Amino acid sequence: YGNYGKANTGLNLNYRSSDLNVFGALSLVENKSDHVINTDRKIGYTDFDTRFNTISSVKSPFYHLGADLFIDSLHTIGALFSGYVNHIVFSKNNISTIASGYLPDTTLTTSSNMARTISMANYNINYNGNIGNTPQTLSADVDYSFYKRNSDEDITSILNDRLQPANDNTLYFSNVAPIQYNIVSARIDYLKPFGKSKLETGLKASYVKSDNVQVFDNLSGTSIQTDPFFSSHFIYKEHLTSAYANFTSNTNHRLNYTGGLRIEHTISDGNTISGGHDVKRNYTNWYPQVQFDFKADDNNRFLLG
């Protein structure tokens, strides 16, 4: 059982006519939970004890809204918007004690308060249809996705040394870690049947950018200083274009085969701004595929690919 309450509620709506389908949903999840870990170790005459507890609170609204327009019986165009926003708060406390002869030698007390917000949104436009009145089909998708995370944490660490009081020390840290991803992609696929066989071809292009920052500050006296050893800034960009073609034959009730080729061209740039390292790549990969499927009888089947 939990020590705190949890709630989950939602609403779904849908409207459909002969040429239009509109749908949407909204839900909210809210919960609060705690986690406790107590560890006792004894090595010889020395005791190592740890008391850890954390309380987390989460509020997460989810949503999506979409529509499909039936142009006619052979063509459909649609749009979809979906996403969520997570608000998370953590409160953590940890006490570690080293004792010899039942008297504590050293006690380390650490407390942390963290607030984190994660949001994601995805936009999509899609099309599915036949070419003329033939069984040939064409489908296409355009997507844009956005992901963002903001995380702020304050950490206080207090060290008490009974044997060497001069070593007692209090440290204050803060961590800011914003992350952001942007993804754009588009694809188009074509299918042409040949009796029981089919030819599939397609093109796809995508662009990805991620921006990752880690900043650790510590309070020294009355001044705040950034720790360059733990802090970093990294940006990654990637352009990917690909094309494929597959032919599948199902003309023989015993032997079927598939043959195809996929080509991918990638341009990437990984830049560690804080460290002065920039890695750029430009390459092409080829992925051929051949597969044979032989059905010897009702109980035996052989695959080779």
Side-chain angles (χ1 to χ4, degrees):
Y1 64 91
N3 293 318
Y4 303 97
K6 298 176 175 63
N8 187 357
T9 184
L11 174 68
N12 290 274
L13 298 173
N14 181 255
Y15 167 80
R16 182 174 182 127
S17 64
S18 59
D19 56 0
L20 180 65
N21 181 38
V22 180
F23 54 91
L26 176 66
S27 64
L28 176 64
V29 176
E30 183 173 351
N31 65 68
K32 187 176 182 180
S33 61
D34 60 344
H35 190 192
V36 178
I37 300 176
N38 294 326
T39 304
D40 300 312
R41 295 184 178 92
K42 188 175 184 64
I43 302 176
Y45 296 98
T46 305
D47 296 323
F48 299 87
D49 302 331
T50 301
R51 302 290 180 261
F52 171 81
N53 69 82
T54 180
I55 298 176
S56 62
S57 176
V58 180
K59 295 181 180 179
S60 302
F62 299 84
Y63 54 88
H64 76 261
L65 177 66
D68 294 312
L69 176 63
F70 308 106
I71 301 173
D72 54 35
S73 61
L74 300 177
H75 302 276
T76 303
I77 186 170
L80 177 64
F81 170 55
S82 62
Y84 61 83
V85 180
N86 290 344
H87 300 283
I88 310 171
V89 177
F90 291 95
S91 176
K92 296 179 282 187
N93 294 279
N94 186 87
I95 300 177
S96 299
T97 303
I98 302 176
S100 297
Y102 304 103
L103 293 176
D105 291 338
T106 305
T107 301
L108 178 63
T109 303
T110 304
S111 61
S112 166
N113 293 290
M114 180 172 64
R116 178 179 294 167
T117 301
I118 301 174
S119 59
M120 189 281 291
N122 181 73
Y123 305 83
N124 169 267
I125 299 176
N126 57 82
Y127 165 80
N128 288 280
N130 289 62
I131 299 177
N133 292 317
T134 69
Q136 304 175 68
T137 61
L138 192 69
S139 62
D141 276 277
V142 178
D143 287 274
Y144 170 68
S145 298
F146 175 82
Y147 174 91
K148 186 176 183 180
R149 190 194 77 171
N150 289 319
S151 181
D152 299 322
E153 183 175 15
D154 293 319
I155 305 169
T156 302
S157 182
I158 303 173
L159 175 66
N160 297 115
D161 192 334
R162 182 179 65 88
L163 301 179
Q164 301 181 43
N167 291 339
D168 290 0
N169 194 11
T170 301
L171 301 176
Y172 301 95
F173 297 93
S174 67
N175 172 230
V176 179
I179 297 175
Q180 183 171 311
Y181 295 90
N182 292 276
I183 304 172
V184 181
S185 65
R187 70 163 186 89
I188 183 168
D189 296 289
Y190 166 77
L191 185 148
K192 179 177 176 59
F194 295 94
K196 294 184 178 181
S197 302
K198 62 181 179 180
L199 172 67
E200 297 174 282
T201 62
L203 300 171
K204 182 178 181 180
S206 65
Y207 170 75
V208 178
K209 180 183 178 181
S210 67
D211 193 334
N212 305 266
V213 178
Q214 285 279 357
V215 178
F216 281 89
D217 295 328
N218 62 73
L219 178 62
S220 179
T222 58
S223 64
I224 298 177
Q225 299 177 348
T226 300
D227 191 332
F229 184 79
F230 293 104
S231 302
S232 65
H233 186 189
F234 177 73
I235 295 178
Y236 179 76
K237 299 177 182 179
E238 180 184 88
H239 298 262
L240 175 66
T241 54
S242 63
Y244 78 92
N246 289 325
F247 182 80
T248 302
S249 174
N250 298 305
T251 56
N252 192 308
H253 73 284
R254 287 186 177 274
L255 178 64
N256 300 315
Y257 62 87
T258 299
L261 176 65
R262 180 180 181 86
I263 305 172
E264 291 186 355
H265 179 66
T266 304
I267 301 174
S268 64
D269 183 2
N271 189 0
T272 306
I273 298 176
S274 54
H277 302 289
D278 193 359
V279 179
K280 297 182 179 181
R281 304 182 67 192
N282 190 334
Y283 57 92
T284 301
N285 287 327
W286 301 70
Y287 301 97
Q289 176 192 11
V290 177
Q291 179 176 302
F292 294 93
D293 183 349
F294 178 70
K295 183 178 180 182
D297 51 44
D298 292 337
N299 299 317
N300 296 279
R301 187 175 180 180
F302 299 91
L303 295 174
L304 176 64

